[in-house]
Amino acid sequence: MTATKTQTAYGDPKAMVQQAAGVFAVSQQRNTTMNRLVGKMPKLENAISTIKKQSSNHMPIVQAQDLGQGKGDEVKFNLINPSGGYPIMGSAYAKGRGVGIKLSEDRLRVNQARFPIDMGDVMSQIRSPVDLRRVGRPLAQQKMDDYLDQSILVHAAGARGFHDNIEWRVPVETHPAFNEIMVNRVKAPTKNRHFMAKAGAIDQFTVNAGEVDIASTDLLKMGTVDAVRTYIDQIPLPPPPVKFDDDQAATDSPIRVMLLSPAQYSGFATDPAFRNFQANAVARARLAKDHPLFLMEAGLWGGILMVKMPKPIRFYAGDTIRYCGAYDSETESNAVVPASFTTKFAIDRAILMGGQGLAQAFGASEHSGMPFFWSEEKDDHGDKLEILIGAILGMSKVRFAIDHGDETQFTDHGVTVLDTVVPIIKPRG
């Protein structure tokens, strides 16, 4: 009888592809708040979106996986601008009176991101009480997953903020590698999508003598959320609502998702009515096929699902906040957090997300033929081992120059941000 070889040799390309498929599948299924904002890929083979490998555009994050060898490193997407007009009645002449179609365009690039892990040498393996190789893979996977989630958060917020500790995979904006790590430009919120808490309600982001015009008492309260809901209900061309798969109430009771920093969430959760908000979220979950986003630390009020975000986008006293000062321009200006906040208060940014707020693109690596790739490499005559996880990806907040008829407004399509004050425990970290 001939023995059958069942073990794959070290460095076998097939093994690397299997590893790559595994880590990409795990990443796509990660149980995180940010990943739950991505829609599922359609299953119909004849659907255009399947051909393009694009997820549902009714969710906050739209994912595209159709970049590959020879297809470039850039994704372009378009918006048909809304248009006005009235019907031509009776026998009135209609020819030549048509309303023109105008397109707005945005785009993003992809780049390679890699996390190498040093597994030590042969003697390290001998001395260690654990299997370093077995530990290394999930460690690398976690680093890549954190990078994905934090990149989504920063792009959606339009800022990295200055909260920083060892858990961050995205450095602060002053770091020399920040722009390269983010792949695409982190865009400060457009003027019509940037608000701040003000006396229990909201106001547009305003600056006074170079400082953010906000007081230490401008916390996130019920009135603040009510004001956000009223704003969304009354403006023309609001952020599109989120439509969860098979949500039976999607049309009659539209929902948008507000991501709150842990401090914002904790402060709001002390309201006596918050338990009712949590009950509302659980009840609505039944109509949305128990989507896990409803079943986390979440509360539902007035069509806004409030969910705790993994990391705060925070600005301390004296820190700079970038903002757009005009509706018709993307030109960014700077304001600083009031020095009077000292070490007691900071500004945290809540993110209200509707449909098509962020575009995320994956390219195909030549190593694996898919977005993720995996590598193990020995050195020094086989004594030392290093493993590496990599991905070809990029993301960007979706922004269009929208023609409102009387003016053109640069508009973050599915993202609105709200800056509020929070009391802080530690000045930094």
Side-chain angles (χ1 to χ4, degrees), residues 357-370:
L358 191 85
Q360 183 182 54
F362 286 105
S365 166
E366 66 174 11
H367 302 292
S368 63
M370 57 190 64

Side-chain angles (χ1 to χ4, degrees), residues 108-428:
L108 64 86
R109 292 180 57 253
V110 297
N111 201 354
Q112 175 179 253
R114 298 181 293 173
F115 283 100
I117 304 292
D118 184 356
M119 303 303 297
D121 55 22
V122 168
M123 294 308 298
S124 298
Q125 299 279 351
I126 292 173
R127 297 188 187 105
S128 176
V130 299
D131 184 344
L132 293 179
R133 194 169 184 175
R134 181 172 294 180
V135 171
R137 175 175 165 168
L139 176 62
Q141 176 88 56
Q142 186 61 55
K143 288 180 183 293
M144 183 61 74
D145 289 349
D146 289 345
Y147 170 62
L148 284 171
D149 283 347
Q150 292 170 18
S151 295
I152 290 170
L153 187 64
V154 171
H155 273 295
R160 161 61 172 82
F162 294 89
H163 175 272
D164 202 25
N165 57 32
I166 197 172
E167 297 173 348
W168 276 94
R169 301 289 163 253
V170 175
V172 295
E173 294 188 21
T174 53
H175 191 282
F178 175 78
N179 290 332
E180 185 177 14
I181 288 172
M182 294 308 298
V183 183
N184 294 282
R185 180 171 69 92
V186 176
K187 309 169 186 174
T190 55
K191 184 175 176 62
N192 60 0
R193 293 290 191 261
H194 194 176
F195 294 86
M196 58 198 298
K198 200 73 170 178
I202 64 170
D203 196 1
Q204 286 197 305
F205 186 84
T206 53
V207 178
N208 183 15
E211 286 191 339
V212 182
D213 189 16
I214 196 168
S216 60
T217 54
D218 290 327
L219 310 173
L220 181 70
K221 301 176 181 178
M222 278 192 61
T224 317
V225 178
D226 278 331
V228 171
R229 180 191 59 180
T230 301
Y231 164 78
I232 292 296
D233 287 343
Q234 294 185 4
I235 64 169
L237 312 176
V242 176
K243 295 183 180 179
F244 298 95
D245 290 332
D246 302 318
D247 184 359
Q248 301 173 48
T251 301
D252 295 329
S253 183
I255 279 182
R256 293 169 180 89
V257 179
M258 179 178 280
L259 302 175
L260 305 178
S261 75
Q264 288 172 322
Y265 185 91
S266 297
F268 194 79
T270 59
D271 191 289
F274 191 71
R275 290 193 179 275
N276 293 332
F277 299 163
Q278 290 178 308
N280 292 342
V282 173
R284 180 57 188 273
R286 300 191 187 101
L287 299 177
K289 304 299 181 183
D290 287 331
H291 191 283
L293 201 61
F294 289 86
L295 304 177
M296 301 168 58
E297 294 183 89
L300 178 63
W301 174 247
I304 296 178
L305 183 66
M306 293 165 285
V307 179
K308 186 190 295 186
M309 68 172 71
K311 290 279 183 290
I313 302 297
R314 175 169 295 171
F315 307 90
Y316 298 92
D319 286 342
T320 297
I321 296 180
R322 294 183 291 113
Y323 69 97
C324 294
Y327 290 110
D328 61 351
S329 174
E330 292 185 283
T331 301
E332 298 179 0
S333 301
N334 294 329
V336 296
V337 178
S340 60
F341 281 14
T342 62
T343 59
K344 296 181 179 179
F345 300 97
I347 293 177
D348 277 8
R349 177 163 293 176
I351 309 169
L352 181 70
M353 301 202 71
Q356 294 179 295
L358 191 85
Q360 183 182 54
F362 286 105
S365 166
E366 66 174 11
H367 302 292
S368 63
M370 57 190 64
F372 277 43
F373 56 93
W374 185 266
S375 174
E376 295 182 358
E377 186 170 312
K378 286 189 174 182
D379 195 14
D380 191 19
H381 303 279
D383 181 63
K384 299 171 179 61
L385 175 65
E386 187 174 69
I387 64 174
L388 178 145
I389 187 174
I392 309 293
L393 55 84
M395 62 193 73
S396 179
K397 184 165 53 175
V398 179
R399 174 176 295 176
F400 299 113
I402 298 181
D403 185 355
H404 283 250
D406 56 342
E407 66 176 341
T408 296
Q409 292 188 10
F410 282 92
T411 303
D412 291 336
H413 185 60
V415 181
T416 300
V417 303
L418 174 67
D419 294 338
T420 78
V421 172
V422 295
I424 54 176
I425 300 173
K426 293 176 61 179
R428 298 277 172 177

